[in-house]
Amino acid sequence: MYWCINMAAEATEPKTFLKALHDKYGDSDIPEGNDLVLVMHVPNSAPGMTDSGQLILPRQLAMNYHSITHAGNEEEIANLCDKVTELDIANNCISDWKEIFKMMSVMPKIESINFSCNPLMAEIDDEVGNQSFPNIKRLILNKTGAAWRTVEVLLKIMPSVEELHLSLNDYTEVDLKEKYPNVVNLHFNANKLRDWGEICKLGRAFPNLCNLVMAESEVSLCDDSEVEASFPKVVSLNANKIGITSWEEIDRLNSFPALTDVRLQGVPLLEDMKEEQRRQFLIARLPRINRLNGSKIQEEERDKAERAFLRHFMDSEEKPERYMELEKTHGQLDPLADVNLGPPTHTVTVRVTYDTKVRMLSICLDNSIVDLKNLIRKLFEIPKECGIALYYNNAEGTIPYRAREMDPSKYVYTYLYEDGCDITVEPREREGRKWIEPTVHFAIKKSLTVTPRD
């Protein structure tokens, strides 16, 4: 984790990397002159100052948004940064690769470097490119505009790079002439490639690629043979928000020989589908995938998805090829019964008794008991300030049943299922803030008698 507080990207005076270090971690008034000699101690503790005034820097050094344009005195940088393993100088103003290499050359333990959002479109001079940084394993070049020749030079002088980030560089094609077998993780988001054949060039340049992140692009999948030959070891693919518009393109993901983990969100083809059906269709069409959109696919879920897929296309004249494969596995399935598990939506007619008045009332079963009370108040013109309790009986047979009060927190369908039931309305008197419960006697079959206690 970086020890970093990102500053707002406000316009400030251009400064050197060395000056930015002092501004952030030490005395911002220290001059940058070449004659200044500093003796620095870099322990394994947090950044800051020791009691003796020695500057302490973290091993994971983040210097974002400092308007850095140049390196500064290399000897002083060496004294400060000789134990730095990760350097993040994203979102600065460095445009000269010479300044980048001045910093890197005095950091012997550096393993990760982030150049993102610096204007590094210029090519690397041959003299500068003769250096070597064998310890660097992660190289981040997002939104730098770095040319392909620059990428090749960097990968040549950083032969141990395993994780490479090339997102947001407006690439319209891939122009890598060599192979780089150490790269296993590639982030290639939001570039401007439309032809999957160009993406396949990345696979051929990085033959041991295991994880490919290529979200937010307009590419569409090419033919199966090219995918299989280009990405023999890719296990994980992030294709969120890419331009897939047909199920045939989804099926071509099966051509990745080792692919088991896929992210496919924000894809145009799937936008109009419900989440459950979208996931089921993807699981059914991608039999080797065991992880989808970050969630593990359990055996039971796969079985359910495949059966749902079969039933969906059961009556279709044109069935996908995958349907035939799944039918061999599951056999011919019977269609599911159309069962509505939701609340009833029809109405029943009941007899409502209040005092000596009797009225017939049609009630929608998915209304709440509170709604029913409000209807009854209007029906009998009962003032709101008068408390009422509703009692019902829909029992059958001749055995006496105790009348039950209808709970205001429930719905009508909780109690009523058929026409002809009786509801009796009884007033409640207030005693302080509480309603006094009336005494309820017994009702037989579909009649109900409720009388207050004498």
Side-chain angles (χ1 to χ4, degrees):
M1 179 182 294
Y2 290 125
W3 185 289
C4 172
I5 301 176
N6 284 339
M7 301 171 62
E10 299 176 354
T12 57
E13 290 295 325
K15 66 179 73 171
T16 66
F17 175 70
L18 181 63
K19 180 66 164 59
L21 286 175
H22 286 297
D23 286 349
K24 183 172 182 178
Y25 294 112
D27 185 352
S28 60
D29 295 328
I30 294 178
E32 296 187 55
N34 291 335
D35 296 333
L36 179 63
V37 177
L38 298 175
V39 178
M40 299 296 173
H41 172 60
V42 187
N44 292 329
S45 57
M49 301 286 289
T50 64
D51 293 339
S52 61
Q54 293 175 321
L55 190 61
I56 303 171
L57 297 182
R59 293 178 182 271
Q60 293 81 30
L61 185 59
M63 298 300 296
N64 312 99
Y65 298 104
H66 281 276
S67 298
I68 298 169
T69 57
H70 294 78
N73 186 281
E74 294 172 62
E75 184 178 352
E76 296 174 30
I77 295 175
N79 288 332
L80 287 168
C81 303
D82 66 319
K83 290 182 172 58
V84 169
T85 58
E86 297 182 22
L87 176 62
D88 184 350
I89 52 173
N91 296 285
N92 282 293
C93 307
I94 306 170
S95 59
D96 190 341
W97 283 102
K98 290 181 180 178
E99 302 302 318
I100 294 283
F101 290 126
K102 283 181 183 178
M103 290 180 258
M104 294 173 57
S105 62
V106 292
M107 301 181 189
K109 296 187 178 181
I110 190 167
E111 297 178 356
S112 171
I113 187 159
N114 184 358
F115 302 135
S116 297
C117 301
N118 282 280
L120 292 168
M121 290 78 74
E123 292 190 357
I124 299 174
D125 294 341
D126 292 337
E127 182 180 348
V128 177
N130 288 331
Q131 302 183 61
S132 180
F133 303 94
N135 296 327
I136 294 181
K137 296 181 180 179
R138 180 169 58 181
L139 174 60
I140 305 177
L141 291 167
N142 297 334
K143 207 172 182 179
T144 58
W148 285 113
R149 181 181 180 278
T150 298
V151 174
E152 288 189 307
V153 171
L154 292 172
L155 291 175
K156 181 180 178 181
I157 63 178
M158 303 175 187
S160 300
V161 168
E162 298 175 356
E163 181 179 330
L164 177 62
H165 294 245
L166 296 173
S167 300
L168 295 160
N169 283 325
D170 293 336
Y171 294 128
T172 58
E173 61 178 1
V174 176
D175 186 14
L176 293 172
K177 299 177 176 59
E178 304 292 331
K179 295 183 183 294
Y180 306 94
N182 283 329
V183 175
V184 294
N185 300 307
L186 176 63
H187 293 249
F188 199 76
N189 298 328
N191 283 297
K192 296 185 176 181
L193 282 70
R194 292 177 177 271
D195 183 359
W196 186 269
E198 294 296 317
I199 298 292
C200 288
K201 291 180 182 179
L202 293 172
R204 292 192 288 272
F206 307 117
N208 292 321
L209 194 63
C210 293
N211 304 301
L212 174 59
V213 181
M214 44 164 288
E216 299 182 49
S217 60
E218 298 180 8
V219 296
S220 57
L221 291 177
C222 66
D223 64 273
D224 301 358
S225 59
E226 195 169 0
V227 171
E228 184 174 2
S230 302
F231 300 100
K233 297 184 179 180
V234 167
V235 174
S236 174
L237 173 66
N238 184 332
N240 289 341
K241 298 183 180 180
I242 74 167
I244 292 179
T245 57
S246 70
W247 284 106
E248 288 73 22
E249 293 176 75
I250 298 289
D251 292 338
R252 287 173 189 154
L253 293 175
N254 291 315
S255 301
F256 286 79
L259 188 63
T260 59
D261 184 350
V262 170
R263 289 181 182 269
L264 273 174
Q265 296 176 310
V267 173
L269 174 67
L270 309 175
E271 284 180 353
D272 296 332
M273 298 177 68
K274 293 182 179 179
E275 176 60 33
E276 183 181 12
Q277 186 185 46
R278 182 187 308 153
R279 183 172 175 87
Q280 286 182 337
F281 271 39
L282 289 173
I283 291 173
R285 285 185 178 264
L286 302 172
R288 291 198 303 271
I289 301 301
N290 58 38
R291 197 170 189 84
L292 177 62
N293 294 330
S295 176
K296 186 172 178 59
I297 301 171
Q298 303 294 341
E299 195 172 316
E300 182 180 351
E301 183 186 16
R302 178 173 295 283
D303 183 77
K304 181 180 178 181
E306 291 176 349
R307 290 175 180 274
F309 182 83
L310 283 170
R311 288 191 170 97
H312 179 84
F313 289 100
M314 185 179 294
D315 298 325
S316 300
E317 292 184 6
E318 295 185 9
K319 296 178 174 60
E321 185 177 339
R322 180 63 178 151
Y323 180 93
M324 312 305 175
E325 297 173 359
L326 290 175
E327 192 174 52
K328 292 178 181 178
T329 302
H330 298 283
Q332 292 186 350
L333 303 181
D334 295 327
L336 291 175
D338 186 13
V339 179
N340 182 10
L341 299 179
T345 56
H346 60 278
T347 60
V348 294
T349 301
V350 297
R351 185 173 68 177
V352 183
T353 302
Y354 174 63
D355 196 11
T356 59
K357 303 174 184 178
V358 178
R359 300 283 189 274
M360 302 303 293
L361 178 66
S362 292
I363 306 169
C364 184
L365 294 186
D366 60 358
N367 281 355
S368 68
I369 300 302
V370 172
D371 294 332
L372 176 58
K373 279 190 174 184
N374 291 333
L375 286 173
I376 290 173
R377 284 182 184 278
K378 291 180 181 179
L379 186 65
F380 292 102
E381 298 181 346
I382 303 172
K384 289 185 178 181
E385 58 271 16
C386 296
I388 60 173
L390 306 183
Y391 295 87
Y392 84 103
N393 180 53
N394 61 354
E396 294 188 359
T398 57
I399 302 174
Y401 284 83
R402 184 174 177 80
R404 294 175 58 190
E405 182 179 357
M406 304 174 84
D407 186 344
S409 68
K410 298 182 182 287
Y411 289 84
V412 173
Y413 63 77
T414 307
Y415 303 98
L416 305 178
Y417 305 96
E418 58 187 351
D419 294 333
C421 298
D422 285 350
I423 294 177
T424 300
V425 184
E426 287 292 340
R428 279 181 172 174
E429 297 179 1
R430 279 190 181 276
E431 185 179 271
R433 294 187 177 182
K434 297 181 179 179
W435 295 107
I436 300 175
E437 297 290 341
T439 299
V440 181
H441 294 289
F442 290 95
I444 298 179
K445 204 171 182 179
K446 294 184 181 178
S447 62
L448 178 66
T449 303
V450 183
T451 58
R453 181 178 296 167
D454 295 331

